[in-house]
Amino acid sequence: MTPDLDALGQHFVQLSRELEALDLIYRTRDTLEEVLCEEIEKRVINRCRSVFDKPILKRATKWLYEWVYPWLSNVLPENGDADESLTVWSKRLNYHLCMMFCDLRISELFDIIIDYPDSKPAIDDLVLCVKSLDQDYRHRVVKSLHSSFQKRLLIPGAATSDILKGYISTIKCLRLLDPPGVLLEKVTGPIRDYLRTRTDTVKCLVTAWTDDQGNDPELIEELGKAEIPIPTEDAEDAYFENDNWVPDPVDAGPNYKSSVYRSADITNLLISVFDDTEPITREIQNQMGVKLLNKTDFETETEITKLELFKLRFGETKMQHTEVMIKDIADSKRIDHYVYPEGPLQKGREENESALLHTTIVSRLFWPTLRNEDFNVPQPIQEAMERYEESFERYKKTRKLQWMTSLGKVHLELELEDRTLEFDVAPVYATIIYNFQEQDPQKLRRLMNFWIDRGVLKEIQKDTWIVLEIAESAIIDDFIPPEDHNQFSIQTVEDPKVEALRVYWSYIQGMLINLGEMTLERMHTMLNTFVQAPNKFEHSPEELREFLMLMVKQEKVEFRAGIFKLKS
């Protein structure tokens, strides 16, 4: 039988009045407040913890007004001061609720930032909550995030691309929480300092900007946004003439740049991580060069669009070399049409068979240093090169071509006895399969692995290969040779640092063989400890990580979940 709730309520009210008559309500007020605060804390933790994708604060406040305060009105004395007493209690309990909610959200702020924009409701709740609190929360936000960054983000095992994403999310979240940008300046200082120490920060940033696959749309979207003009120091007085001007917050430091942290867009803040934009513009030129060298259709519309955005950010002068590189592709298209007037360049198999060879002609002084390894190309290609050169010299009477035979892409169709295979490969691999037995096997042994892993060649004894007319094993479709196409054809400034670590490869191999899987931190510690003069190891964890990732690309090491192990 269900109890009569109204009757129970009346009994509770009667009991409260008897306690009041005995003056026990007043005597137990501190205990009552403690119990209510504990219930509020339990409610906040149980209902709000890790819930970031929907508003929670208003629901928690509603619980106070619909359940706690009506219950409290029955407990408090019925006298002239009852309403005033309930008002005082409600203010104190509201403050306690906001304080508990704020403490919880500050402890979860790193996760909220990483989950942004899905976690925006949690930020909005926190913005509402802190309006009821004192300024102490700002210090706790900085302290909490600094601790979380050091433990979970600014570590050698974290990918630079993930650190950049975390930095961007931090900017967006803290601008919602603190529009003047004081928290942004104080919180992101360690991230900016750490990004400067990473040797691949510039490369990751430019890769995201130039990515055509949309793998990081956020950075590309930010790059395309119009920059809000930032007042110079000489124009700082203009703020005082602005009706919307507000003074800097009281906790702003002496070096706080209000104009930057109030107005600068995310791209500008990313660029300002570096003292000089020269490394960024040089990396843009390098990566643009790789993309342009891989063009088979001479279409540069995407690159032209990106170039205009880069001009807005870095100025036309610094983008001059990249502009010439793109122009070279357009000029190459015109020359190609001149060389093959009867068969204009088309795509795929529709291409005119007489147009065996198409070239990209570059202005050497405006391109990055291009790596080239000379080798003897097949006779039909050599003849096509000679015919192309004759046509070019008629078109450009004062110019001569210098061929870079290792650059480019070759489309192959291999017709074997039981299968037909198609590949787009670098010229050296095409040359090997065309007439591989005439090449020096000692020099090309590593390159032979490309066709061995594709199931086309088989080494039957040392330095002796045969063509597998009948397939023996499954073909590895996702194999990527270490120097395929033009991916490594641009000489970058980081290469010497990577090459310097090759002398330690035998040590690294030995550790991975004898000790098994290792983290980057453990490997770096052991190299520092055990590798002494004359080859003492004095490289940073970031430099070691970059070298290991190169070994991953070269299929010598595997990397998964922060662990490196020797590839079997």
Side-chain angles (χ1 to χ4, degrees):
M1 182 175 180
T2 303
D4 188 335
L5 294 180
D6 289 338
L8 289 175
Q10 292 175 3
H11 285 306
F12 176 75
V13 172
Q14 180 61 32
L15 176 62
S16 298
R17 297 298 168 260
E18 292 173 356
L19 292 173
E20 175 192 340
L22 296 172
D23 201 23
L24 292 178
I25 294 295
Y26 178 80
R27 295 173 181 273
T28 59
R29 184 169 57 181
D30 291 342
T31 303
L32 176 61
E33 182 177 0
E34 183 179 342
V35 170
L36 287 175
C37 288
E38 287 179 358
E39 289 301 315
I40 289 173
E41 186 172 352
K42 290 178 184 177
R43 181 83 178 187
V44 169
I45 292 175
N46 294 335
R47 299 297 181 91
C48 304
R49 174 180 286 172
S50 301
V51 181
F52 306 147
D53 58 348
K54 55 186 177 182
I56 295 293
L57 182 60
K58 287 185 178 180
R59 189 180 303 176
T61 305
K62 185 179 180 181
W63 169 75
L64 281 180
Y65 282 92
E66 291 187 351
W67 294 96
V68 177
Y69 295 157
W71 179 87
L72 193 58
S73 66
N74 289 324
V75 174
L76 296 176
E78 281 188 340
N79 53 45
D81 297 330
D83 291 339
E84 181 180 350
S85 178
L86 183 60
T87 300
V88 172
W89 275 83
S90 65
K91 287 181 179 179
R92 295 167 69 178
L93 295 179
N94 261 323
Y95 184 85
H96 189 74
L97 173 67
C98 286
M99 188 172 62
M100 290 296 101
F101 186 85
C102 185
D103 287 344
L104 176 64
R105 284 295 183 251
I106 288 177
S107 68
E108 300 174 317
L109 197 49
F110 180 82
D111 295 311
I112 293 172
I113 287 172
I114 297 302
D115 288 348
Y116 190 86
D118 294 337
S119 61
K120 186 177 181 299
I123 291 290
D124 294 337
D125 274 351
L126 187 56
V127 171
L128 291 174
C129 186
V130 298
K131 291 179 179 179
S132 304
L133 303 177
D134 53 37
Q135 294 294 308
D136 178 61
Y137 85 90
R138 298 168 69 87
H139 172 72
R140 288 185 284 129
V141 166
V142 175
K143 185 177 179 181
S144 173
L145 284 180
H146 279 180
S147 176
S148 297
F149 287 154
Q150 293 299 330
K151 293 177 182 178
R152 302 173 61 183
L153 187 66
L154 308 182
I155 55 177
T160 302
S161 57
D162 292 334
I163 298 175
L164 285 170
K165 290 177 182 177
Y167 179 42
I168 293 170
S169 295
T170 301
I171 294 171
K172 292 185 175 182
C173 290
L174 292 185
R175 277 188 164 166
L176 292 175
L177 186 60
D178 177 44
V182 175
L183 288 180
L184 179 61
E185 180 195 31
K186 293 183 176 181
V187 166
T188 59
I191 303 180
R192 294 166 62 86
D193 293 340
Y194 187 77
L195 284 173
R196 291 188 188 99
T197 68
R198 283 277 179 123
T199 57
D200 62 340
T201 299
V202 171
K203 182 180 293 185
C204 288
L205 183 59
V206 175
T207 297
W209 283 339
T210 58
D211 177 34
D212 297 332
Q213 306 301 319
N215 295 320
D216 201 338
E218 189 172 38
L219 274 174
I220 297 175
E221 179 184 349
E222 291 294 336
L223 179 65
K225 289 182 178 179
E227 167 69 348
I228 302 173
I230 301 175
T232 63
E233 293 182 3
D234 295 336
E236 199 70 29
D237 291 339
Y239 277 115
F240 293 93
E241 300 174 4
N242 186 348
D243 292 338
N244 297 320
W245 176 87
V246 292
D248 293 340
V250 293
D251 57 340
N255 297 322
Y256 170 64
K257 298 178 181 179
S258 61
S259 59
V260 173
Y261 289 100
R262 289 179 193 267
S263 306
D265 66 12
I266 288 176
T267 301
N268 236 39
L269 288 174
L270 287 169
I271 294 172
S272 68
V273 167
F274 309 96
D275 297 327
D276 184 12
T277 60
E278 177 63 26
I280 301 178
T281 55
R282 185 169 58 244
E283 183 62 26
I284 290 173
Q285 184 185 9
N286 288 340
Q287 295 199 24
M288 279 285 202
V290 172
K291 291 181 178 296
L292 294 172
L293 288 176
N294 279 315
K295 292 286 182 183
T296 57
D297 56 4
F298 299 127
E299 295 301 325
T300 58
E301 183 178 347
T302 300
E303 286 71 23
I304 291 173
T305 301
K306 293 286 176 66
L307 174 64
E308 294 305 315
L309 294 176
F310 290 138
K311 282 182 180 180
L312 292 175
R313 296 288 176 176
F314 303 102
E316 294 195 14
T317 302
K318 291 190 176 183
M319 289 292 105
Q320 184 179 10
H321 281 210
T322 306
E323 187 170 18
V324 172
M325 289 162 55
I326 295 175
K327 183 177 181 296
D328 281 346
I329 304 301
D331 292 342
S332 298
K333 183 176 183 179
R334 285 194 294 272
I335 294 171
D336 197 274
H337 280 300
Y338 174 81
V339 174
Y340 304 116
E342 298 179 357
L345 178 63
Q346 298 177 16
K347 296 180 180 179
R349 297 184 178 182
E350 297 178 359
E351 188 176 338
N352 190 320
E353 291 185 2
S354 65
L356 181 63
L357 175 73
H358 301 281
T359 67
T360 299
I361 301 174
V362 304
S363 304
R364 180 175 59 86
L365 296 178
F366 290 89
W367 284 67
T369 303
L370 300 177
R371 298 174 181 171
N372 184 50
E373 298 179 5
D374 288 328
F375 57 89
N376 297 325
V377 299
Q379 187 60 32
I381 300 298
Q382 182 63 43
E383 293 173 356
M385 289 166 60
E386 292 172 358
R387 292 194 298 269
Y388 199 103
E389 191 166 357
E390 291 175 1
S391 298
F392 174 80
E393 290 178 359
R394 288 195 298 269
Y395 185 76
K396 297 276 190 178
K397 299 185 184 300
T398 60
R399 303 285 183 88
K400 291 186 68 69
L401 291 179
Q402 180 180 345
W403 295 94
M404 306 188 77
T405 52
S406 66
L407 304 184
K409 184 184 295 185
V410 180
H411 180 76
L412 293 179
E413 185 175 299
L414 304 182
E415 294 183 359
L416 303 175
E417 187 174 327
D418 68 334
R419 65 204 185 280
T420 298
L421 305 174
E422 291 192 31
F423 302 99
D424 288 314
V425 299
V428 64
Y429 299 113
T431 301
I432 291 170
I433 202 61
Y434 179 83
N435 199 9
F436 71 93
Q437 69 274 14
E438 295 182 4
Q439 302 292 336
D440 179 1
Q442 290 294 340
K443 179 180 178 181
L444 300 178
R445 168 179 288 275
R446 181 168 55 85
L447 300 178
M448 290 290 196
N449 290 335
F450 176 85
W451 294 116
I452 292 173
D453 288 325
R454 294 291 185 176
V456 176
L457 298 181
K458 179 181 180 181
E459 187 175 11
I460 57 175
Q461 62 185 44
K462 185 177 180 181
D463 298 340
T464 304
W465 291 264
I466 63 171
V467 175
L468 287 177
E469 293 289 348
I470 305 298
E472 288 189 350
S473 59
I475 298 172
I476 304 175
D477 292 328
D478 58 352
F479 175 77
I480 301 175
E483 295 182 4
D484 194 14
H485 306 321
N486 297 315
Q487 185 177 0
F488 298 97
S489 61
I490 302 293
Q491 178 74 39
T492 62
V493 294
E494 290 80 14
D495 287 342
K497 296 180 181 179
V498 174
E499 292 299 325
L501 271 80
R502 287 191 182 275
V503 298
Y504 305 104
W505 172 236
S506 60
Y507 295 101
I508 295 171
Q509 265 185 309
M511 287 192 298
L512 293 175
I513 290 173
N514 296 319
L515 302 177
E517 300 177 348
M518 300 182 72
T519 63
L520 176 69
E521 293 85 351
R522 185 185 179 198
M523 194 181 303
H524 185 263
T525 300
M526 293 190 68
L527 287 170
N528 271 325
T529 303
F530 297 109
V531 182
Q532 299 299 324
N535 293 323
K536 182 174 175 58
F537 188 85
E538 296 178 335
H539 295 269
S540 68
E542 288 73 25
E543 290 171 343
L544 176 60
R545 183 181 188 280
E546 188 173 356
F547 173 74
L548 290 171
M549 295 312 293
L550 178 60
M551 294 299 100
V552 171
K553 290 180 181 178
Q554 295 184 3
E555 301 285 322
K556 296 178 180 178
V557 173
E558 291 182 1
F559 177 68
R560 184 171 301 170
I563 302 294
F564 291 93
K565 74 173 186 176
L566 207 61
K567 192 171 180 65
S568 57

